[in-house]
Structure formats: structure tokens, C-alpha cells
Amino acid sequence: MKFAYKFSNLLGAFYRHGNLSFSKDGNSVISPVGNRISVFDLKNNRSETLPVFTTKNITCFGVSPDGNLAILIDEDGAAILVSLVTRAVLHHHHFHSPVHSVSFSPDGRKFVITKENVALMYHAPGRNREFNAFALDKSYYGPFDETTCIDWTDDSKCFAVGSKDMTTWIFGAERWANLIYYSLGGHKDIIVGCFFEKGSLDMYTVSQEGTLCVWESDTELEGLRKGPKYSERKKMEEEKKRRDEVGEENKDDDIVEIVGEDGETRGDVIKGSADTPKEVEGIKNVRYSQRSKHYFNKEGDFNKLTAAAFHKKTHILVTGFASGAFHLHELPEFDLIHSLSISDQRISTIAMNPTGDWIGFGCSGLGQLLVWEWQSESYVFKQQGHFNNMNSLAYSPDGQYLATGGDDGKVKVWNTNSGLCFVTFTEHSSCVTNVAFTSSGFVVVSASLDGTVRAFDLHRYRNFRTMTSPQPAQFSSLAVDSSGELVCAGSQDSFEIFLWSMQTGRLLEVLSGHEGPVSNLCFSPVQSVLASVSWDKTVRLWDMLDSWQTKETLRLNSDGLAVTYRPDGQELAVASLDGEITFWNPQTGGQTGCVVGRHDLQMGRKETDKITAKHSAKAKSFTSLCYSADGESLLAGGQSKFVCIYNIKEQVLMKKFEISCNLSLDAMEEFLDRRKMTEFGNLSLVDEGTGDGDGIELSLPGVKRGDMSSRRFKPEIRVNSLRFSPTGRSWAAASTEGLLIYSLDASLVFDPYDLDMDVTPTSIRRQVKKKEWASAILLSFRLNEMPLIREVLEAVPYDQITVVCSSLPDVYVDKLLNFVATTLEKSNHLQFYLSWAQCLLTLHGQKLKNRSGAILPTVQQLLKSIQRHSDDLSKLCDWNIYNIRYATALSKQRGMKRTAAESLSDEEDSSEAMDSVGDEENMMNESVIEN
């Protein structure tokens, strides 16, 4: 078993907090998910979470105009520079205070961040290697309160900053003589968005109370003029002061000739007081006037405006509100194009793609991410994760789908290839505690605290069975047998296990015997035996064929929490409250091993804990167990940020996976920060969200707006469920962060088999040149480098595949079949690799059947790859059939029109011929009469 698993993807979370951004081509939307960012490809319907992360939750990020770089900034102001091409972190920087927004200039040479009441402009990282990638250029002061938003002019000459002091400030990115800074008012609430008109200094400002101000500038962008530097201005002022003292009153003498650093002569005059921007002679300062003012809310209504975005090319303004509605207006006339409510939660952020066709919305309350095409009024993308804890997960038998259940009462089914949810079942009225697939893979069964067990059909997407107990019970565990005919659920309150028939939905039996809540259930993969573990310190084995009697009772030293069978059914693993994992032989009922894993969890200290993490770890234990596909290893997780993988034969810890580094979650650190501890308790427990959109709104007496019951809390990091993929190449963890997928990375491991001095890439390629195909394949597998194996295999002629397969030893048949199954999933040589698989299974089928347990994950991976290609090709074929039918119908229609036109032309020719014959006869008659 190789342990080279690495983070692959994050499912179940689409948006948490911060801004959205579209890619340069407009086909992908980039969304912050906790302390990571995910890229959703809207064209190919796929998602990818980048393998980079910040220390805390991301509050804002900016993408460079060329789409190659991104700056991610977390809650504390710690920033990382990420390459979106290589998916690597290039630089770390700390701004030492929370940052509200970040934006690159359109030319990509500068970027501006806003923190507190300051705007800082930095030189953007370029192609040159620098020790400090973030070089500060200028600091801009002006607003009296925190800044909220940024926007640039098209030519990167100026930028605007909105503030909570209800003003918008316009600054020059360069040292302009007629625009140093300018302040715009006109609002009565926080500025949500400020936007420049395309190719102009004209502005639109939007505030939280739902007001839009249109500002008109008396100067075009081309009218901005370079001014002298500060040191040069100071010299000019001193020179003028000296002249005034000696009494020089000639106007011509006021013109001071200043030579800049570039050697050019400037004849500028600095005028004005020291408190206002000074005006240079001959150059008039930029002035703004309010052209119009518009209101989004009707008279008597108040709907807080929370987000805004403006597309300069199409002049479309999109505004989102706290009620979940959004409006589309065309500016500057303020004509309403479209209005729709897409959620019942506050819209946190809005973004538009470069063409202006798609609008992205993020709702942090429910974790929703939506992309709306406003012209066709349809959804391009609509996803939402579990907005509460994700309690359980289950893989389908072929590994293509994942089912999850959460505290929100929803059951979601995910596609592991695309990483997206394709169906959500909402029939449960309370927390879903467990989910499972049947052996067919087309039925999902879920248990809930609402007292029902429901079965869902993945063909018709409906709830076709609802199973209940005679007396109301809260089901905390679930199991489905290998045939898919029996469904069992364990109760928390009555300590009983209920058994139903999937075919009829009738209750078959109630299994009694446990003296405490039933914490977990598991069916044997090879026998009709049910294992149940309870808080009464026992594991009971129930025989489903012998009147559902107790076959064996295993005694534990502590309360039982989790139980699972090995894939071959010959071993049972049980996790107990004392932090131990015990292994049992289900046939004899004897204990075969034990792992003490209490210290492997490494619990963190919560902010409310009164004792240290070291002492609290004594009460922690594993709550989820899962065997690997080959049965050699065991995954274990619980109330910790670590997932442990144990070697069962040696009973030792092989590796620990840290599933999260996000300090915004509770119980992440072993020691609390003593600087935050006071005599009144931990400072981090004090809610400082008063007045914010997400925090508490302190309202005046008699005012109904504002929810005093709303509080912020830090979710505690934990792993609720673990499952290995049936293919053995990945495993999943349902955690506080979401659904984390870890995949086997073959590039991390050099694992040769039967290596010798003569086994080298050169010798392998020499065998390929000699056309010794079988020998070359054997040598490549002995070196075990994937690119080299692929090179050798694809060099084999198609007509030689059968000959090569028949001459392979049995050991290499398994290795070649595994390689073919893995490569087929992403290869374009579909027929070639299918021919290899067909020949291997045909020629060595009987021998492979004898060791079916060992090659089962390989066969399931092969089936998964074939099914994926089948789905893709079926869609393509259906589309091609439609196009062919359309072309045929079109050709027939044109042929009918052509025949009709030809017949019509023939009739016209015949009528013309008849007319000409008639004319000739008339002429002959007239000539006869004349004669």
C-alpha cells in the first residue's frame, strides 16, 4: 500500500466570504472557499480547488488582467501571491491589518489595496525576479473611515476608493497637475460601489441605502497633465516667498523655470493654499458635478443594498440586496432591464464576466454560488453545499458518485469527476445522520433524526420508499446489506435496531439486546451478518439467515463508537471511547490486535476550554473508521484536524494527514495566545460585529430591523466520516471545511519492482527499437516509471497486442491491467487501451478470477473509466445524431423547394411557348386577311 495521497479537491463548499472573479476568457468563475480558492469551469462543468491556502479565511482577492497571478488576502491581512498557471505560491506578505479590497490596474503594472482609511498602491510583480515582490509605490490618505471598494479607469491613470464615511475619493495613479485628489459626497450611507465610465472620468457611486449618483467630469482622460514633483514644488514655493519678501511685483517674474530629473524644462506655477490641491497656471483642475440621482427602493420600502457590479462596455449596473433580490439597470438613463429574487439570503458579492453576458452571485449565508445569464434569463451554474455540518458520506460501488448527508436535512449526490452536485433531496425534516448506497449504485438510503429512513431513486430522482418504526425513534446509524434487500437502522433512544425490506418497505423485525444507544452498524461484505456497536461496551453480531438471532457478543473495555468490516469480511475493526481501535476475528470472536490511538489525534484547545489540549486529549477518540480497498490499512478520524492511517499487520501509525490549516476554525492550535487572555476571559470570545452586515445590528427601541439573537461563532474542526473509494485510488473525509478528496499521486513515489543494474530507460528504449515488445514492457514495469510505461505501451503495434498479452507472466498481468485502468480514465486513445483490457481479461480471465479479492479495486477502476467515456461519447453521439437529422430534414426541405421551383419554371416555360405559338398564328391570320 502506498501512502502518497495528496489533496485533490474540495466538494460541498462553493462560496464562504469575499469577492468573486471571472477568468480572462470568462468561462470560469473563481470563488473563495474558506482559506482556499476554487475554480469552476462553466464551459466544461468541472470544479478544481487549488492546492494553496492562507492562514485564515480569505476576505478578498485580486486577479491580474492577464489571468496568470492572484493575490489572496485573509482576515488578518496576510497575503500570498499565487500563480494560477503552476498552482504554486510565489510570495508571502503581511499588511498588518485587515484588508477590505484589492484590485489590479488594467495595464497590470500596479495594484491597490485598501485597509482602514488608507489606499496603498504597489508595483505589481513582473517578470523580473525581485527580493520583495510587493514594492510600495504610494500611500493615499483622504477618507475618515474604513474604505470599502476600488475601481480603475481604463487607461490606469486614476482610481477611485469608496468609504464608510459616505464619500468617494478619486486619486491619480501618477502625479497629475490637475487631479491630485477629489472627494465626492451626495450619499447618506456606506458606499458599496464606485465605477468609472468607459474611457472617461465620469463616475457612478452606489450606497447602502439604495441611492445611485451620476457624476460628470469637465475633463477627459486625455486632459490630465503631468505636474512637478513635491520637492520641485517646495523649491518653487520657497523661490516665490523669497521674491515676495524683496518686493518683486512683476507678473512675468512669477514664472519659475524648473528643470526636472529627466532634463526637460517645465514652466509651471503653483498656486492655491497649502490645504487644497494647488493649481498649475494654464491647467485647470478637474471638477465634478452631480448629473442625476436615482433611488432603488420605492417610497416606504427599505431594502439594504449589499453588493454592486458595473460592466463598462454594455453600461449595465447590477445591484444585489439583503432580501436576495437583484436589479439590472442600463446607465446613465437608469432604465430597469431585469429584476429577480434568486435567494432568501443576503447577496454578498456580484461579479460580471468580460463579455457582460454572465453575472456571478455569492451568498455567504447559505454558501450559494450562482451564475445567471441575464439575456436568456436562465441559470448557467447553481450550486449550494450543506450550510450546516456534513455528517456522513458514502461512495457508489463504481466510485463515480458520492452521497452526503448534513444537519440541514438534505441529501446531496456528487459527481466525483466534475466535483459538482447534480441532485439534492430535501424530504427529511431533521438532521441526516447516515447515508449509504445499495449494491446496484442507483439507490441512496438515508437515516435521519426525524424518525424516517428514506430510499431515493437516482434514475427518476424521487423518494420511492419511506420506512418508519412503530414508535417514534431517532435513527443515528444505518446499514444496507450486499444484496440491497435489507435495510437496518439503529436508534438513539430505544436502543433497538430496526430491520426493513427494501422491496416492500415493511418492517421485518426489531432487534433488541443492546442496553445503550446504537452508535454504528455494518453488514459483512460476504455473509448475511450484521455487526452493531453500542454505548453498552458490546459489539453484537446478528445472523440474518437464522431468525435474526445474536450470533456473537464481543466485550469492549469502553463505549463503542464505530465498527467496520474488512472488504473480505474476515476482520472487524472497532473504535471505542478510550481512544483504542481493536481488531476481531468475526468467525471465532477472538481479538487479534489493538492500536492505542489516543495520542495520535493531537487535539487542539478550544477558546472556551478551561484545560489544556494535552489533558483534554485523554477524553478524545476516533468516531469514524474505514478500511482501504486492499484491506491492508485503516483510516481513522475524529474530533481533530488529523486523519490517521494505520498499517493493520504491524499495528503502527503510517501517516497523518492534516486536513486543514485554517486558524479561523476552533480547536486548531494546541496553545492559546496568552496576549488575548484577560481577567474577564478570552478576548476572541467578544463579538465585535456590531453594525456590520454579517454581525449584530444594535437598533433603537421600537425599530424592528436588526436581529439581536444573531451571533458569530467559530466552527470546531472535526472529521465526521471517512470513506475509501472502491477503486482504492482516493479517499474522502466529511469535515467542517467540506468534503475533502485525497487522491493517490504516483508522481511522488519512485517504487521500482525487481530493480537491477541493467534496468534503465536506455535499455528499455533499446528493446523497443528491436521490437521486443514483451521484454520492453517487463523492463518498464520493473523500473515502474509511469511516463516510460506509457511510452512503451503506446509503441506496441495494434496487431501485436494479443501476442504480447499471451506471453506476460501472471505478476505483470495485474500490474498492466492496473495501469490500463488508471490511464484509460484520462487518455484519448480509447480503442487502443480497451483492446489491451479486453485481451488481458480474455486470456487471463480464469487466473484473475481465482485472485478476485486482490484485483477487485482494479476492475472497479476499469469500470469507472469505461463508464465515464461511455457517458461522454453517448452525449456526443446524441448531439451528432441530432445534427445529422437536422441536416437531412433541411436538405429534404430544400429539395422539395427546388423541385417545386423547377415545376413552376417548367409551367412558365410551357405557357410562354403556348403564348408564342398563339402569337404566330395571329400574325399569319392577319397576313392572310391583308392579302
Side-chain angles (χ1 to χ4, degrees):
M1 177 68 187
K2 310 298 184 298
F3 301 100
Y5 289 93
K6 70 171 185 177
F7 174 77
S8 173
N9 206 353
L10 173 62
L11 281 65
F14 299 96
Y15 173 77
R16 293 276 172 82
H17 183 68
N19 59 299
L20 297 176
S21 179
F22 278 89
S23 60
K24 185 181 178 182
D25 58 4
N27 294 329
S28 300
V29 62
I30 305 172
S31 171
V33 183
N35 66 334
R36 303 177 185 267
I37 57 169
S38 296
V39 180
F40 300 97
D41 189 343
L42 306 177
K43 193 173 183 180
N44 300 315
N45 203 35
R46 294 187 182 279
S47 72
E48 179 191 8
T49 303
L50 304 190
V52 297
F53 48 85
T54 56
T55 310
K56 289 190 174 182
N57 286 336
I58 296 172
T59 55
C60 59
F61 73 95
V63 181
S64 62
D66 58 5
N68 294 334
L69 296 175
I71 298 174
L72 315 181
I73 306 175
D74 68 10
E75 294 172 351
D76 288 343
I80 58 173
L81 179 66
V82 177
S83 170
L84 297 179
V85 179
T86 62
R87 292 349 193 206
V89 177
L90 304 179
H91 183 67
H92 290 263
H93 187 82
H94 208 298
F95 293 109
H96 303 293
S97 60
V99 175
H100 305 111
S101 54
V102 56
S103 177
F104 277 87
S105 62
D107 59 6
R109 297 173 59 190
K110 304 285 180 66
F111 71 89
V112 172
I113 65 106
T114 61
K115 65 172 188 175
E116 298 171 346
N117 63 334
V118 189
L120 303 176
M121 186 165 67
Y122 288 82
H123 293 286
R127 296 181 179 179
N128 300 327
R129 294 187 178 183
E130 298 169 336
F131 176 74
N132 184 12
F134 290 3
L136 180 63
D137 184 18
K138 297 182 184 70
S139 299
Y140 296 89
Y141 293 85
F144 295 97
D145 205 342
E146 293 182 354
T147 49
T148 56
C149 54
I150 308 171
D151 191 50
W152 286 84
T153 56
D154 290 335
D155 56 2
S156 306
K157 289 182 177 180
C158 303
F159 66 92
V161 175
S163 172
K164 288 185 177 180
D165 65 359
M166 301 174 286
T167 61
T168 304
W169 292 75
I170 302 167
F171 298 105
E174 299 179 33
R175 208 172 294 274
W176 305 114
N178 51 346
L179 180 57
I180 302 175
Y181 60 85
Y182 201 97
S183 176
L184 302 175
H187 290 281
K188 298 179 181 179
D189 210 338
I190 297 170
I191 302 298
V192 175
C194 54
F195 312 102
F196 281 104
E197 183 63 85
K198 180 177 174 60
S200 172
L201 282 172
D202 296 347
M203 281 213 69
Y204 305 104
T205 55
V206 183
S207 60
Q208 204 173 71
E209 89 276 9
T211 304
L212 167 71
C213 289
V214 182
W215 303 91
E216 190 173 13
S217 171
D218 62 354
T219 308
E220 295 297 326
L221 284 171
E222 294 77 12
L224 296 176
R225 297 288 181 263
K226 283 284 184 73
K229 293 186 177 180
Y230 177 76
S231 58
E232 298 170 355
R233 291 187 183 188
K234 199 168 183 181
K235 290 179 183 178
M236 293 165 62
E237 290 175 7
E238 291 176 356
E239 184 68 22
K240 189 172 186 306
K241 188 177 180 182
R242 186 180 60 79
R243 290 179 182 178
D244 290 341
E245 288 176 356
V246 297
E248 294 179 5
E249 297 179 356
N250 194 342
K251 280 188 179 181
D252 295 335
D253 294 337
D254 285 345
I255 299 177
V256 182
E257 191 175 75
I258 297 208
V259 180
E261 294 179 359
D262 53 2
E264 292 180 327
T265 302
R266 302 188 178 119
D268 300 338
V269 175
I270 302 299
K271 291 187 178 180
S273 66
D275 298 328
T276 59
K278 300 176 177 59
E279 195 168 279
V280 179
E281 185 180 359
I283 303 176
K284 189 179 179 182
N285 277 358
V286 175
R287 302 289 178 187
Y288 276 90
S289 59
Q290 190 180 95
R291 180 177 169 185
S292 58
K293 196 171 186 178
H294 307 280
Y295 300 94
F296 292 94
N297 296 319
K298 296 180 181 179
E299 189 175 352
D301 295 340
F302 182 82
N303 192 5
K304 185 184 290 185
L305 193 148
T306 55
F310 178 66
H311 193 260
K312 298 182 181 181
K313 294 181 180 178
T314 56
H315 304 281
I316 290 177
L317 175 69
V318 188
T319 49
F321 296 86
S323 63
F326 74 93
H327 297 235
L328 264 72
H329 288 88
E330 187 176 5
L331 299 182
E333 290 79 12
F334 199 68
D335 296 330
L336 180 64
I337 300 174
H338 189 57
S339 179
L340 186 72
S341 178
I342 57 172
S343 175
D344 57 355
Q345 295 289 323
R346 168 181 180 268
I347 296 178
S348 304
T349 183
I350 300 176
M352 297 186 75
N353 72 334
T355 60
D357 299 327
W358 294 346
I359 308 169
F361 299 94
C363 304
S364 59
L366 297 178
Q368 289 177 317
L369 178 62
L370 309 132
V371 179
W372 176 264
E373 188 175 37
W374 64 272
Q375 290 175 334
S376 63
E377 298 186 7
S378 60
Y379 285 109
V380 178
F381 185 85
K382 184 180 182 182
Q383 291 286 317
Q384 175 185 333
H386 295 280
F387 57 86
N388 282 331
N389 286 334
M390 191 183 296
N391 291 326
S392 60
L393 69 97
Y395 268 101
S396 63
D398 59 359
Q400 284 216 89
Y401 305 122
L402 265 170
T404 59
D407 281 348
D408 55 0
K410 295 179 180 178
V411 176
K412 290 179 173 287
V413 186
W414 311 81
N415 188 315
T416 56
N417 293 324
S418 66
L420 302 177
C421 173
F422 63 90
V423 63
T424 301
F425 300 106
T426 59
E427 279 77 9
H428 283 294
S429 59
S430 185
C431 165
V432 177
T433 55
N434 220 317
V435 292
F437 273 93
T438 60
S439 56
S440 65
F442 299 111
V443 176
V444 178
V445 186
S446 62
S448 171
L449 295 181
D450 63 2
T452 62
V453 174
R454 297 177 183 269
F456 303 97
D457 184 5
L458 292 186
H459 283 304
R460 299 180 182 177
Y461 301 140
R462 63 188 181 94
N463 174 210
F464 71 95
R465 287 282 183 274
T466 301
M467 293 160 271
T468 58
S469 57
Q471 299 295 328
Q474 290 185 319
F475 298 123
S476 59
S477 53
L478 177 73
V480 181
D481 77 329
S482 56
S483 65
E485 295 295 327
L486 298 177
V487 179
C488 291
S491 171
Q492 279 187 343
D493 37 17
S494 65
F495 312 154
E496 295 171 329
I497 302 171
F498 298 88
L499 184 68
W500 295 274
S501 167
M502 178 67 79
Q503 290 290 335
T504 62
R506 294 179 57 187
L507 181 67
L508 299 178
E509 185 68 23
V510 179
L511 307 180
S512 302
H514 281 297
E515 299 174 359
V518 179
S519 52
N520 205 355
L521 299 172
C522 185
F523 268 103
S524 170
V526 294
Q527 295 176 330
S528 293
V529 176
L530 174 70
S532 63
V533 64
S534 171
W535 291 9
D536 61 3
K537 303 181 182 180
T538 61
V539 177
R540 291 179 179 267
L541 303 181
W542 310 82
D543 193 346
M544 297 290 104
L545 300 179
D546 187 14
S547 302
W548 302 297
Q549 298 297 319
T550 303
K551 180 182 177 183
E552 193 79 43
T553 301
L554 311 178
R555 300 290 175 181
L556 303 175
N557 296 327
S558 185
D559 297 2
L561 300 179
V563 62
T564 184
Y565 268 100
R566 201 167 69 183
D568 60 2
Q570 301 303 312
E571 190 176 72
L572 197 68
V574 182
S576 54
L577 191 62
D578 56 3
E580 291 186 356
I581 302 174
T582 53
F583 300 96
W584 304 79
N585 187 329
Q587 308 300 329
T588 62
Q591 184 175 340
T592 59
C594 178
V595 171
V596 180
R598 186 187 307 117
H599 300 292
D600 298 332
L601 276 174
Q602 280 190 353
M603 295 296 303
R605 183 176 177 180
K606 294 192 289 184
E607 293 177 346
T608 54
D609 283 349
K610 304 300 182 183
I611 58 175
T612 62
K614 184 178 180 180
H615 288 86
S616 65
K618 295 179 180 179
K620 303 302 180 183
S621 54
F622 295 110
T623 57
S624 181
L625 299 176
C626 178
Y627 274 96
S628 62
D630 57 5
E632 295 180 4
S633 307
L634 184 76
L635 274 176
Q639 291 185 345
S640 171
K641 62 179 179 179
F642 291 104
V643 171
C644 303
I645 186 164
Y646 293 95
N647 184 291
I648 298 173
K649 186 178 181 181
E650 303 294 336
Q651 296 183 4
V652 294
L653 177 69
M654 299 299 295
K655 190 172 181 180
K656 291 200 320 188
F657 297 92
E658 188 175 9
I659 60 169
S660 178
C661 299
N662 190 358
L663 297 182
S664 295
L665 302 175
D666 206 359
M668 285 294 297
E669 296 180 289
E670 188 175 355
F671 302 101
L672 294 180
D673 190 350
R674 294 296 178 185
R675 292 172 296 181
K676 296 181 180 179
M677 299 299 293
T678 66
E679 57 181 330
F680 304 106
N682 195 345
L683 282 178
S684 57
L685 297 178
V686 179
D687 197 328
E688 298 178 353
T690 305
D692 291 347
D694 297 327
I696 310 165
E697 294 188 3
L698 298 177
S699 55
L700 295 172
V703 179
K704 294 182 179 180
R705 284 192 296 112
D707 184 8
M708 291 294 291
S709 66
S710 64
R711 292 292 186 274
R712 289 181 178 178
F713 70 97
K714 291 177 70 173
E716 183 183 352
I717 185 67
R718 64 174 60 190
V719 178
N720 294 318
S721 184
L722 289 168
R723 288 293 181 270
F724 245 106
S725 170
T727 62
R729 300 194 61 81
S730 63
W731 56 271
S735 70
T736 312
E737 287 274 81
L739 185 57
L740 299 161
I741 308 293
Y742 284 79
S743 299
L744 192 63
D745 184 18
S747 63
L748 294 178
V749 178
F750 174 65
D751 184 28
Y753 174 78
D754 195 15
L755 191 61
D756 198 357
M757 291 292 292
D758 298 332
V759 182
T760 62
T762 306
S763 62
I764 294 171
R765 290 189 177 96
R766 192 181 302 120
Q767 293 295 104
V768 172
K769 288 182 179 179
K770 293 179 181 179
K771 297 185 179 181
E772 298 288 341
W773 312 117
S775 175
I777 289 174
L778 295 182
L779 290 175
S780 64
F781 273 107
R782 287 175 65 183
L783 191 60
N784 206 12
E785 286 191 0
M786 295 302 169
L788 192 60
I789 297 174
R790 187 180 297 108
E791 179 185 337
V792 173
L793 212 62
E794 293 179 359
V796 178
Y798 180 77
D799 55 356
Q800 295 291 318
I801 293 178
T802 307
V803 179
V804 173
C805 288
S806 60
S807 61
L808 287 176
D810 293 343
V811 178
Y812 292 96
V813 170
D814 295 1
K815 293 180 178 295
L816 181 56
L817 187 62
N818 186 27
F819 177 81
V820 169
T822 307
T823 310
L824 180 62
E825 186 175 5
K826 296 183 179 179
S827 176
N828 295 327
H829 306 297
L830 187 57
Q831 184 182 1
F832 181 76
Y833 282 106
L834 283 176
S835 301
W836 278 101
Q838 183 181 9
C839 290
L840 288 171
L841 294 174
T842 304
L843 297 173
H844 303 275
Q846 190 59 43
K847 295 179 181 179
L848 292 172
K849 188 177 180 180
N850 295 334
R851 51 180 188 275
S852 59
I855 68 158
L856 182 61
T858 302
V859 175
Q860 288 175 331
Q861 174 69 29
L862 186 63
L863 287 173
K864 178 184 176 183
S865 303
I866 294 173
Q867 184 64 40
R868 179 184 174 185
H869 283 293
S870 174
D871 294 342
D872 294 342
L873 285 174
S874 62
K875 293 177 183 177
L876 185 63
C877 292
D878 291 342
W879 177 248
N880 289 340
I881 290 171
Y882 169 77
N883 285 336
I884 291 170
R885 288 176 178 172
Y886 177 76
T888 306
L890 198 63
S891 63
K892 287 182 179 178
Q893 187 178 7
R894 288 181 177 177
M896 293 172 63
K897 287 182 178 179
R898 189 181 298 110
T899 53
E902 289 176 354
S903 61
L904 185 62
S905 62
D906 292 342
E907 291 177 0
E908 290 177 353
D909 293 341
S910 60
S911 61
E912 288 177 358
M914 293 293 293
D915 292 341
S916 61
V917 170
D919 292 341
E920 290 178 356
E921 290 179 353
N922 292 333
M923 290 174 65
M924 290 176 63
N925 293 333
E926 289 175 359
S927 61
V928 169
I929 292 171
E930 289 176 356
N931 294 331

